[in-house]
Amino acid sequence: VKLKITKKKYHIVLKPKIVIVDDYLPVDKDSQKLIYAQTKNNEIWISLLEKAWAKVNGGYANIIGGTPMEALEFLTGFSSLVYDTENKDEADLTEYKIEIVKHLQEADKNTSIISCTTSSKNKVDSVGLIDGYTYNMLDFFQVEKSDGNKEYLFKLRNPWSKGEWSGDWSDKSALWDDKVKGQVGFSAKEDGIFFMNDADFFKYFTHIEICYVLYDAKAVIYSIEGEEKNTDGIVFNIITEKEGFLSVSVLRKNWRIDRSIKDKMLPSHISVVKYDPNATNRLKTFSNYNGNFESYRTLAINLPVEKGNYLIYIYSDLDHAEFTPDDKLDIKIACTAGFKHAQMSYDDRDKGFPL
């Protein structure tokens, strides 16, 4: 038997790590067909990629379930942002949708990776969708129709390359005219690609994930490992001469490797402020995020920033975390900026924000 060794590159907490696997793959004992990931063209790359992912996480049993962004964070080294509309109060939903659209526009402009999942509680097969299923978002448009009105259109793809949305703006919809077709490059094919407006999109898709792939990015990483406690927080300092995109992440050890920490809470806070030493009010709050780790590996802020000096304060409340003394926390704090010429550093001395 000829054994082939394959190398796959993963980013384990923003540091590239080569994962080596062979081409021995699990098959059904009767049919001899692959029992996990496979393609209809008998391509082997997806199975090797899956095996490398299983090796990182301690075996195939540890990679059952999950979300696309979890794997993409490992593959790209960048953080993701997750929106869940299913568990939002109706009163907050309108503003929440506006926020999502704003982030989708920014993510689409920066060629980020976007996925969206239909609700598993609603039956959507009557409109051509699959319940509890994840689709790719290929593009995002604001089109001007023949009557002069504007509308948002989402370009989505079924990864199976078949099975499409059958409502408004579907391939057979009467709403299409030459003006709109030209703006989005529309063509009617049975290829799994379809368009939806924002009203229908938010009606049927309840889980949206954005992986912010920042090309030419710089990163600074600070680690809190083992029993070490740092209750004073970390301050990152960023100076940029251009506008760009900022991603700040708090990453916990992956629960797939250590099941004892699954669903255990870790209260965390991220604050981004613009710092102007010459202004009367030298600190201007730019963005705040408060959250708790549960099953997710990453908490993050992702936002566009202008030219200037920014301070990022990150605090994980380890004293009130739901961990036992035997749990290895291995908290990683990563600051990534999508600027070629940014200056980045961190200062963890016990002084809070440097004023």
Side-chain angles (χ1 to χ4, degrees):
V1 177
K2 185 178 180 180
L3 182 65
K4 180 179 179 181
I5 304 297
T6 303
K7 293 182 179 181
K8 296 293 179 184
K9 181 181 287 188
Y10 281 90
H11 289 76
I12 313 299
V13 194
L14 293 175
K15 294 182 179 180
K17 178 180 179 180
I18 300 296
V19 180
I20 301 176
V21 296
D22 57 45
D23 61 353
Y24 282 111
L25 300 170
V27 298
D28 181 84
K29 65 178 182 179
D30 297 321
S31 67
Q32 292 298 297
K33 291 184 178 180
L34 294 171
I35 59 175
Y36 297 129
Q38 52 192 282
T39 68
K40 60 184 179 183
N41 297 322
N42 293 322
E43 296 174 352
I44 198 172
W45 67 270
I46 186 66
S47 300
L48 295 175
L49 195 62
E50 181 187 46
K51 185 169 184 178
W53 176 236
K55 184 175 180 179
V56 165
N57 289 286
Y60 283 99
N62 287 347
I63 63 171
I64 297 172
T67 67
M69 290 304 117
E70 184 187 359
L72 285 169
E73 284 181 356
F74 271 91
L75 280 170
T76 66
F78 296 109
S79 66
S80 62
L81 188 63
V82 179
Y83 287 103
D84 183 1
T85 62
E86 195 166 40
N87 299 312
K88 274 284 180 182
D89 294 332
E90 195 64 36
D92 301 329
L93 204 51
T94 300
E95 288 296 322
Y96 195 53
K97 289 177 181 177
I98 293 173
E99 180 186 341
I100 294 173
V101 168
K102 179 182 176 182
H103 277 274
L104 287 174
Q105 287 176 314
E106 189 66 39
D108 182 60
K109 184 172 68 175
N110 287 286
T111 62
S112 298
I113 304 171
I114 307 171
S115 71
C116 45
T117 305
T118 54
S119 172
S120 58
K121 298 178 181 178
N122 301 326
K123 294 297 180 183
V124 296
D125 55 340
S126 61
V127 291
L129 301 174
I130 305 167
D131 59 288
Y133 183 70
T134 299
Y135 293 76
N136 311 121
M137 184 177 291
L138 301 180
D139 219 330
F140 177 77
F141 301 92
Q142 186 178 34
V143 298
E144 183 175 340
K145 300 185 289 186
S146 297
D147 59 7
N149 292 322
K150 293 183 178 180
E151 188 164 10
Y152 289 118
L153 290 182
F154 299 86
K155 184 179 182 180
L156 308 174
R157 178 180 179 270
N158 184 336
W160 291 348
S161 298
K162 62 180 181 180
E164 300 180 11
W165 160 252
S166 59
D168 287 352
W169 299 104
S170 63
D171 283 6
K172 297 179 181 179
S173 172
L175 294 173
W176 290 104
D177 59 30
D178 291 339
K179 182 176 182 178
V180 179
K181 286 180 180 179
Q183 293 175 69
V184 302
F186 171 80
S187 61
K189 298 178 183 177
E190 182 55 43
D191 54 5
I193 296 174
F194 57 91
F195 291 83
M196 299 178 76
N197 62 20
D198 56 328
D200 286 325
F201 176 81
F202 285 114
K203 179 179 179 180
Y204 294 104
F205 288 91
T206 58
H207 201 79
I208 300 140
E209 299 180 337
I210 305 170
C211 182
Y212 290 91
V213 181
L214 304 179
Y215 299 99
D216 299 314
K218 292 186 176 183
V220 176
I221 300 171
Y222 182 85
S223 298
I224 304 173
E225 299 183 352
E227 301 300 320
E228 181 182 344
K229 301 259 182 174
N230 188 310
T231 57
D232 298 317
I234 307 297
V235 175
F236 287 95
N237 182 52
I238 295 181
I239 301 172
T240 176
E241 299 177 357
K242 291 184 177 182
E243 64 177 16
F245 206 83
L246 178 68
S247 177
V248 186
S249 309
V250 182
L251 302 97
R252 189 182 75 176
K253 182 179 179 181
N254 190 6
W255 64 267
R256 293 183 183 277
I257 298 173
D258 185 351
R259 296 282 173 152
S260 68
I261 64 174
K262 188 179 189 310
D263 297 327
K264 292 185 178 179
M265 305 290 275
L266 176 59
S268 298
H269 173 81
I270 304 173
S271 183
V272 179
V273 298
K274 192 169 184 179
Y275 177 55
D276 185 353
N278 300 316
T280 304
N281 296 318
R282 289 179 289 178
L283 294 179
K284 177 184 176 183
T285 302
F286 205 69
S287 184
N288 280 289
Y289 179 87
N290 285 289
N292 283 293
F293 279 108
E294 290 183 69
S295 294
Y296 288 115
R297 174 177 174 258
T298 307
L299 294 177
I301 271 184
N302 299 278
L303 70 164
V305 292
E306 302 170 344
K307 172 184 175 181
N309 188 176
Y310 293 87
L311 300 176
I312 299 96
Y313 176 71
I314 305 174
Y315 170 73
S316 287
D317 188 359
L318 305 183
D319 289 330
H320 294 90
E322 295 179 354
F323 292 94
T324 67
D326 294 331
D327 289 329
K328 295 298 182 182
L329 296 178
D330 292 341
I331 304 301
K332 309 289 183 181
I333 296 174
C335 188
T336 307
F339 317 112
K340 288 185 178 180
H341 306 293
Q343 300 176 34
M344 301 180 64
S345 62
Y346 70 81
D347 188 341
D348 63 335
R349 286 175 290 177
D350 184 15
K351 63 177 182 178
F353 279 116
L355 300 177

